[in-house]
Amino acid sequence: MAARGKTRRFPTAYKLKAIKRVERGEGVLPVARDLGISRKILHDWIKVWRAQGPDGLNRKPGPKPGPRKLQSLATYDDKRSALARANARIAELERLVGRQQMDLDFFRQALRALERPAEGKPVSASSKSSKA
């Protein structure tokens, strides 16, 4: 078997012979073992052969041939404006969280100030009894 990570290339005739053996009734696993390939590779060859014929078997890996679809400018502008709206919403939410954090800090300080008596002032009896 080939070293891991290295892609082996097989001629179209070799692939067709393997497919014909499976079509004649031999099992996929025995044929794959006999050829030293994985079952998945053989299944992929059969799938491509059934879908595209022999021409599909020798297609090189990579981008599919044919013209590429380009996005229309309107679609690009829609996506761009959607991104701008999302960024504006994020900024708005960040400002809101910042204001809430300031409010929270203010109330925490006020609560701490109420919890400890100010220096020099006597603590009333009612506040002593409520703490106990």
Side-chain angles (χ1 to χ4, degrees):
M1 196 164 223
R4 199 137 175 88
K6 185 174 181 179
T7 304
R8 297 189 306 175
R9 303 220 185 257
F10 298 95
T12 303
Y14 183 83
K15 295 176 183 180
L16 283 172
K17 284 181 185 179
I19 293 168
K20 294 296 180 189
R21 285 178 62 182
V22 173
E23 293 287 319
R24 282 193 305 253
E26 288 186 56
V28 172
L29 181 61
V31 172
R33 281 185 180 160
D34 186 40
L35 298 175
I37 59 174
S38 71
R39 290 179 302 163
K40 183 186 180 326
I41 289 174
L42 187 51
H43 279 293
D44 289 346
W45 290 351
I46 293 168
K47 182 178 171 185
V48 168
W49 180 71
R50 287 181 179 159
Q52 301 172 8
D55 293 336
L57 292 174
N58 60 6
R59 193 176 82 72
K60 293 181 180 178
K64 294 182 181 177
R68 292 177 58 198
K69 288 185 177 180
L70 298 177
Q71 290 182 352
S72 70
L73 192 55
T75 304
Y76 177 74
D77 287 341
D78 289 344
K79 287 182 181 179
R80 195 167 159 198
S81 64
L83 181 62
R85 285 192 309 269
N87 284 335
R89 179 69 176 147
I90 289 170
E92 178 186 345
L93 292 173
E94 286 175 342
R95 284 190 299 272
L96 179 62
V97 167
R99 273 185 268 153
Q100 289 176 340
Q101 185 63 46
M102 285 177 30
D103 291 345
L104 186 60
D105 291 341
F106 170 79
F107 287 114
R108 279 187 183 147
Q109 287 176 355
L111 184 61
R112 280 191 211 118
L114 290 175
E115 287 178 346
R116 61 178 180 250
E119 290 182 26
K121 290 187 178 179
V123 178
S124 67
S126 63
S127 64
K128 283 183 183 178
S129 63
S130 65
K131 289 184 181 178

